[in-house]
Amino acid sequence: MIISMHSNARKKEIKNVVREIELLGYKTKVFEGVRKTVIHIIGATERDRIKRKVENMPGVEELIPILHPFKLVSREFKKSNTIIDIDGLKIGGEEIIVMAGPCAVESEDMLLKIAEEVKKSGAKILRGGAFKPRTSPYSFQGLGKKGLEFLAKAREKTGLKIVTEVISVEDVPIVSQYTDIFQIGARNMQNFSLLKTVGRFNKPVLLKRGISSTIEEFLMAAEYIVSEGNPNVILCERGIRTHEKYTRNTLDISAVPVIKELSHLPIIVDPSHAAGDWRYVGALAKAGIAAGADGLIIEVHNEPSRALSDGKQSLKPEKFKKLMEEIKAISKSIGRKI
Ligand code: PEP
Ligand code: MN
């Protein structure tokens, strides 16, 4: 159960409510959000007793019973969709937002070329990894700080926002100086110290689903970020590992409507890492939008055969352009804009 306090509740009122709850024998966790404070009563069973005790206490707005283990990200806690606003660009609203770009930033020139192409086709956010989490320690690990600088230059030239991955706690401050959105990759979905660290920043986080994680584990990972005070989480379904081998991962398309019901957070689909092969990217992207996703993140490369990572699943700019036209048609038919 959660007690939501009025936005103008005083510190003393919050303290009094916490004391009353603890006198009933429960532990509490207090979340001081940007707009208001909420008090989570851990393992609350006697709802009526709690209600009688605190309902009319000064500062209390409402009591919300939450049955799921994830609380702040649940639809029970917040009925309306969360819309993340990045200088006027809204994720989770009526508009479908497409993020596109190379898997990794390889050079300034290449990044700028791709950025201009994807922008022309309607992408609003440029993706590109500067710190790459590679399966092999011998594979290209990314350009690091140089890569961040190239991303910032591409933003300056094109006006696109940028999203880039942060793979360790110590890199969070430097990445935050450059990026508009932190990306937490599938391999780090349960890196709890990394989740808590980005949770303390006032910057949106694109959280990718872990390679073998359940929807519940995924939402619990988002809860880690939100419970640290950062409500701006964008979830990303990017395929999970199954017994199937013809695709790199299996896009769990049902995760989209299920998460829309369970959570108020926006969810986007990554068809590139799900498919692992550019030939299937379009079909998965279209399925994601038709299923209700708020956007897509797609790998695009001008020379996929020479890409330093994930070339096999990268679309050439002209293929991306064509796909965007199809996505526009689907978006329109389900009453959404792009
Ligand atoms: C990526 O976006 O390039 C990436 C590494 O994705 P994921 O974490 O989903 O594997
Ligand atoms: Mn990639």
Side-chain angles (χ1 to χ4, degrees):
M1 179 174 256
I2 291 232
I3 301 174
S4 169
M5 301 297 289
H6 280 298
S7 54
N8 58 358
R10 282 181 281 157
K11 283 226 164 5
K12 185 143 195 301
E13 292 170 339
I14 297 166
K15 240 170 108 185
N16 286 343
V17 174
V18 167
R19 204 190 47 229
E20 279 306 319
I21 298 297
E22 291 183 348
L23 281 173
L24 290 174
Y26 293 106
K27 285 208 168 73
T28 57
K29 185 156 171 41
V30 179
F31 302 107
E32 283 181 38
V34 191
R35 279 171 291 117
K36 59 184 176 185
T37 295
V38 298
I39 303 165
H40 173 205
I41 312 171
I42 297 158
T45 45
E46 307 157 294
R47 299 228 177 87
D48 291 341
R49 193 163 159 236
I50 296 167
K51 199 167 165 201
R52 274 200 306 277
K53 263 273 190 257
V54 301
E55 197 172 34
N56 296 316
M57 286 183 74
V60 171
E61 184 183 44
E62 60 174 332
L63 276 74
I64 311 164
I66 297 177
L67 301 175
H68 297 292
F70 41 89
K71 310 287 175 193
L72 305 175
V73 306
S74 75
R75 186 67 86 177
E76 289 159 303
F77 176 62
K78 182 170 173 275
K79 302 264 174 302
S80 62
N81 289 337
T82 286
I83 299 175
I84 294 168
D85 190 331
I86 311 170
D87 301 326
L89 180 71
K90 294 191 171 72
I91 305 176
E94 199 188 345
E95 193 180 347
I96 302 282
I97 299 295
V98 177
M99 314 179 183
C103 177
V105 178
E106 297 172 13
S107 73
E108 185 176 350
D109 221 40
M110 156 269 200
L111 185 67
L112 193 60
K113 260 195 206 123
I114 299 173
E116 273 162 357
E117 294 276 9
V118 299
K119 186 185 174 179
K120 259 196 280 166
S121 301
K124 297 283 158 61
I125 298 174
L126 175 66
R127 66 146 289 148
F131 296 93
K132 293 304 300 175
R134 304 305 300 277
T135 303
S136 163
Y138 310 119
S139 302
F140 175 59
Q141 304 285 312
L143 296 179
K145 186 163 179 286
K146 264 266 152 294
L148 297 175
E149 286 166 10
F150 296 159
L151 282 163
K153 278 196 187 158
R155 169 178 50 205
E156 215 173 282
K157 291 220 166 117
T158 60
L160 292 168
K161 306 274 180 244
I162 56 180
V163 58
T164 195
E165 183 164 354
V166 57
I167 58 176
S168 71
V169 170
E170 59 265 34
D171 294 334
V172 174
I174 177 89
V175 175
S176 87
Q177 280 175 33
Y178 290 90
T179 198
D180 296 301
I181 306 173
F182 288 122
Q183 178 174 325
I184 301 284
R187 289 154 194 83
N188 272 317
M189 189 206 81
Q190 284 189 318
N191 180 339
F192 299 119
S193 42
L194 185 58
L195 299 177
K196 285 202 230 172
T197 306
V198 294
R200 292 183 202 119
F201 278 71
N202 183 25
K203 206 177 261 292
V205 179
L206 175 68
L207 176 66
K208 300 188 92 178
R209 182 174 178 183
I211 292 169
S212 301
S213 83
T214 62
I215 290 173
E216 189 170 295
E217 287 162 342
F218 188 20
L219 291 174
M220 291 307 284
E223 186 82 11
Y224 261 91
I225 301 169
V226 178
S227 67
E228 287 297 321
N230 185 350
N232 299 315
V233 177
I234 305 151
L235 301 167
C236 177
E237 164 58 44
R238 47 77 75 205
I240 48 173
R241 180 164 291 175
T242 67
H243 53 270
E244 184 48 61
K245 291 277 177 280
Y246 281 105
T247 49
R248 182 173 177 185
N249 291 287
T250 299
L251 183 67
D252 181 9
I253 202 75
S254 32
V256 176
V258 170
I259 286 175
K260 275 278 164 211
E261 187 172 286
L262 293 174
S263 176
H264 52 83
L265 294 175
I267 175 162
I268 69 165
V269 160
D270 174 348
S272 309
H273 292 84
D277 187 320
W278 68 269
R279 293 171 301 164
Y280 312 130
V281 167
L284 301 191
K286 288 180 272 183
I289 295 306
D294 298 299
L296 297 164
I297 181 163
I298 301 178
E299 287 185 339
V300 176
H301 199 289
N302 48 356
E303 270 187 286
S305 61
R306 287 170 172 256
L308 296 180
S309 69
D310 289 348
K312 191 167 166 246
Q313 67 197 31
S314 298
L315 292 181
K316 287 187 180 157
E318 58 272 21
K319 289 257 173 0
F320 175 70
K321 181 167 184 264
K322 187 168 168 285
L323 174 60
M324 287 295 278
E325 292 307 319
E326 294 172 358
I327 289 166
K328 273 178 204 158
I330 295 175
S331 304
K332 221 170 141 193
S333 76
I334 56 169
R336 297 189 76 164
K337 290 192 300 200
I338 181 161

